[in-house]
Amino acid sequence: MSKWDERYQTEEYVFGTEPNEFIARIEPYLPSAGKALDLATGEGRNGIFLAQHGLDVEGVDMSAKGLEKAQSLADEKGVRFHTRLADITAMEWPSEYYEIVTSVFCHFAEPTRTQTMQKIVSTLKPGGLFAGVFYHPDQIGYGTGGPSDPAMLGTLTEMQQALSGLEWVIAEHEVREINEGIRHRGMSSFICLLGRKPDHQ
Ligand SMILES: C[S@@+](CC[C@H](N)C(=O)[O-])C[C@H]1O[C@@H](n2cnc3c(N)ncnc32)[C@H](O)[C@@H]1O
């Protein structure tokens, strides 16, 4: 059983059932229909939030247990939510397919980080949005969640470079307290990005 399957082996939703604060904050930018992809959906809280707004959402994760809990949460909230058990770094990405891609607290070291971020840019339709939340390298000092290997974490500039090709609507580095379930709690250093793929590239 994987590390994440073990972490999700509890009735409790370890990141809660409400969306991440930034994903809730970008609600005014969300399209009212179309295809969405929530990368590393875990127990589904962010993807299900998008589905509640009328989007046709697929949540991808490599934890079967997380996806099982995501499906239960979607049923409870009365929305359709498609789940795909896959490794983000090895899966197929359709070209120019999604209206929006989201990714919350999923981190990769280079070169996988830039490769994955560029797959996100390619899979967005022209005009499509990417919303991402990532821990900043400073987070290591806080010990309130996220990877312990700094190579997994990028600065705001590094994340924007990895996602080159997007135009930035919001690009922020925040240091403040968060409270997202039992695993991400306390003073934290993180990056919030909302980018739009230009209509003509
Ligand atoms: C910190 S959790 C965040 C879950 C969710 N995004 C949230 O905010 O509630 C990280 C998730 O990334 C998933 N993950 C990490 N690496 C992955 C990969 N290469 N492919 C698919 N899922 C991955 C884990 O299984 C885990 O569910």
Side-chain angles (χ1 to χ4, degrees), residues 4 8 15 40-42 45-46 61-62 86-88 104-105 108:
W4 281 104
Y8 294 141
F15 298 107
T41 197
R45 64 186 178 127
N46 300 308
D61 204 282
M62 62 183 184
D87 179 347
I88 291 163
V104 176
F105 296 129
F108 299 108

Side-chain angles (χ1 to χ4, degrees), residues 32-77:
S32 53
K35 294 202 181 296
L37 174 68
D38 184 37
L39 293 169
T41 197
E43 300 159 305
R45 64 186 178 127
N46 300 308
I48 290 165
F49 176 77
L50 301 179
Q52 287 177 302
H53 285 262
L55 288 157
D56 178 11
V57 192
E58 182 172 45
V60 177
D61 204 282
M62 62 183 184
S63 166
K65 185 63 195 172
L67 295 180
E68 188 188 306
K69 289 172 82 176
Q71 208 48 260
S72 303
L73 185 61
D75 292 347
E76 202 179 291
K77 297 201 183 237

Side-chain angles (χ1 to χ4, degrees), residues 9-154:
Q9 285 300 326
T10 159
E11 276 198 22
E12 193 175 358
Y13 279 71
V14 305
F15 298 107
T17 55
E18 295 304 313
N20 165 267
E21 275 183 36
F22 184 65
I23 299 300
R25 181 180 147 197
I26 62 151
E27 191 179 352
Y29 298 93
L30 291 179
S32 53
K35 294 202 181 296
L37 174 68
D38 184 37
L39 293 169
T41 197
E43 300 159 305
R45 64 186 178 127
N46 300 308
I48 290 165
F49 176 77
L50 301 179
Q52 287 177 302
H53 285 262
L55 288 157
D56 178 11
V57 192
E58 182 172 45
V60 177
D61 204 282
M62 62 183 184
S63 166
K65 185 63 195 172
L67 295 180
E68 188 188 306
K69 289 172 82 176
Q71 208 48 260
S72 303
L73 185 61
D75 292 347
E76 202 179 291
K77 297 201 183 237
V79 290
R80 273 186 68 194
F81 182 60
H82 311 277
T83 55
R84 177 162 34 139
L85 183 65
D87 179 347
I88 291 163
T89 64
M91 69 184 195
E92 295 292 319
W93 298 69
S95 181
E96 302 202 336
Y97 188 72
Y98 296 102
E99 259 76 28
I100 178 164
V101 175
T102 51
S103 178
V104 176
F105 296 129
C106 181
H107 307 93
F108 299 108
E110 291 293 11
T112 308
R113 181 191 306 146
T114 295
Q115 286 162 358
T116 307
M117 297 300 122
Q118 283 303 305
K119 286 177 189 167
I120 292 172
V121 176
S122 300
T123 207
L124 284 173
K125 285 184 178 171
L129 290 171
F130 170 68
V133 182
F134 305 94
Y135 280 121
H136 183 275
D138 290 352
Q139 172 63 14
I140 302 282
Y142 290 99
T144 50
S148 51
D149 177 1
M152 304 278 285
L153 305 174

